[in-house]
């Protein structure tokens, strides 16, 4: 065999070995999926309710396998890993870091945030419903416009609820009138109320805002679909003096929940 042929064969063999080596180390990044739904965790932020005694359960995917798990501050969160299911457990409010790694040097860093559960509702639309058999069409239209224009929360504003108990029955509320700027604070209670006529049940949020005026709000909550909700606020008493024929009036907030 000529020197040229020997060189070509050696070069081909080296390339083949190199290709095989790259292939064996070419793994997908490590990531987590929810154990129950098999839904991938987006990003590297994990929120855990401080009341979640069972913890958040995940399966590790990607990498080469043979994973190791560590957590920086076990006074905030701890974990259990049985080789299949990884469970993060809340300990106290705060933020810590967790690292998942395999033996080939692949790793995934996760920020674990433990705190009181929250619901953040951003206003995407405002409407009004008016009922009154003796109201004229012009009065009905005028009242609907007045109710929507006088809304204390505009499109882009939001309601932030921070729950103080495991049952999600009470806590603190922040109301942001606009997308940016200040907010008012208060407390709320959440319960299920039943219609006296139909017997149908509906979640009700009753909020009392801080301050000398002690403004109160009562919202009946309807779940729509895909993280969208509707708050219905009874404003009948606010407008009945101006419109004696008014029977019922509601301000309707269309909402998208962020968490």
């Amino acid at each position: 065999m000529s020197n040229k042929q020997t060189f070509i064969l050696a070069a081909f063999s080296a390339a083949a070995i190199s290709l095989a080596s790259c292939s064996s180390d070419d793994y997908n990044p490590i990531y987590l999926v929810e154990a129950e739904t098999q839904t991938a965790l987006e990003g590297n932020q994990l929120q855990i309710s401080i009341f979640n005694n069972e913890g958040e359960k995940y399966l590790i995917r990607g990498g080469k396998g043979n994973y190791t798990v560590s957590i920086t501050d076990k006074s905030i969160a701890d974990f259990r890993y049985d080789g299949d299911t990884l469970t993060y457990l809340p300990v106290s409010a705060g933020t810590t870091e967790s690292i998942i790694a395999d033996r080939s040097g692949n790793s995934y860093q996760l920020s674990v945030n433990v705190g009181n559960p929250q619901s953040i509702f951003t206003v995407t639309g405002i409407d009004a419903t008016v009922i009154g058999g003796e109201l004229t069409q012009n009065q009905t239209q005028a009242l609907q416009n007045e109710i929507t224009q006088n809304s204390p929360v505009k499109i882009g504003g939001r309601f932030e609820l921070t729950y103080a108990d495991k049952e999600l029955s009470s806590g603190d509320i922040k109301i942001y009138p606009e997308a940016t700027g200040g907010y008012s604070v208060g407390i709320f209670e959440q319960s299920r109320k039943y219609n006296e006529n139909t017997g149908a049940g509906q979640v009700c949020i009753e909020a009392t805002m801080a301050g000398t005026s002690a403004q109160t709000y009562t919202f009946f909550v309807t779940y729509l679909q895909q993280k969208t909700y509707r708050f219905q606020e009874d404003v009948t008493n606010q407008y009945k003096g101006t419109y004696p024929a008014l029977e019922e009036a509601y301000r309707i907030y269309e909402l998208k929940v962020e968490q």
Side-chain angles (χ1 to χ4, degrees):
M1 181 180 295
S2 69
N3 290 337
K4 184 177 182 180
Q5 289 174 318
T6 302
F7 176 80
I8 293 174
L9 180 59
F12 179 83
S13 299
I17 293 171
S18 175
L19 181 60
S21 175
C22 289
S23 177
S24 64
D25 290 335
D26 188 15
Y27 298 98
N28 290 327
I30 295 173
Y31 64 100
L32 296 177
V33 298
E34 292 185 19
E36 184 175 349
T37 66
Q38 298 291 303
T39 303
L41 178 65
E42 297 182 5
N44 62 344
Q45 299 280 335
L46 175 61
Q47 303 285 340
I48 306 179
S49 166
I50 200 169
F51 305 116
N52 186 353
N53 296 328
E54 296 181 358
E56 298 286 344
K57 301 182 185 298
Y58 289 89
L59 304 176
I60 307 174
R61 296 288 184 260
K64 193 177 180 180
N66 296 319
Y67 306 106
T68 60
V69 182
S70 63
I71 200 159
T72 303
D73 190 345
K74 289 191 174 182
S75 69
I76 293 175
D78 203 351
F79 71 91
R80 301 289 183 269
Y81 181 51
D82 59 10
D84 180 43
T85 302
L86 171 61
T87 304
Y88 284 105
L89 300 160
V91 178
S92 63
T95 300
T96 186
E97 304 296 323
S98 176
I99 295 178
I100 303 169
D102 63 19
R103 295 180 181 178
S104 294
N106 302 300
S107 65
Y108 171 65
Q109 184 168 329
L110 182 68
S111 179
V112 182
N113 305 305
V114 178
N116 291 58
Q118 283 189 317
S119 293
I120 301 176
F121 300 93
T122 300
V123 179
T124 59
I126 303 171
D127 202 350
T129 298
V130 173
I131 300 173
E134 299 300 320
L135 290 172
T136 67
Q137 185 174 354
N138 288 341
Q139 286 177 322
T140 299
Q141 185 63 56
L143 182 51
Q144 287 176 327
N145 292 337
E146 191 174 344
I147 292 172
T148 56
Q149 290 172 3
N150 290 342
S151 173
V153 184
K154 310 302 181 183
I155 293 176
R158 62 191 183 274
F159 302 89
E160 292 189 2
L161 278 62
T162 301
Y163 298 93
D165 56 10
K166 184 178 181 179
E167 292 73 25
L168 309 183
S169 63
S170 63
D172 299 326
I173 185 171
K174 294 180 180 178
I175 299 181
Y176 291 78
E178 309 279 352
T180 59
Y183 57 84
S184 58
V185 299
I187 59 174
F188 75 91
E189 293 186 357
Q190 181 171 298
S191 61
R192 193 167 187 83
K193 294 187 178 295
Y194 295 87
N195 187 293
E196 295 180 357
N197 298 320
T198 65
Q202 194 170 14
V203 173
C204 178
I205 297 172
E206 297 173 286
T208 302
M209 309 310 294
T212 55
S213 61
Q215 178 68 52
T216 60
Y217 299 98
T218 299
F219 304 112
F220 286 93
V221 184
T222 301
Y223 170 72
L224 301 176
Q225 60 180 354
Q226 298 179 345
K227 296 185 178 182
T228 58
Y229 287 77
R230 177 178 293 135
F231 281 5
Q232 178 175 286
E233 179 189 1
D234 189 341
V235 293
T236 306
N237 292 336
Q238 297 178 34
Y239 296 95
K240 197 169 181 60
T242 307
Y243 297 86
L246 175 65
E247 297 172 17
E248 297 177 56
Y250 301 94
R251 182 179 291 121
I252 310 297
Y253 296 97
E254 303 293 339
L255 308 156
K256 182 177 182 180
V257 67
E258 297 181 21
Q259 66 181 86

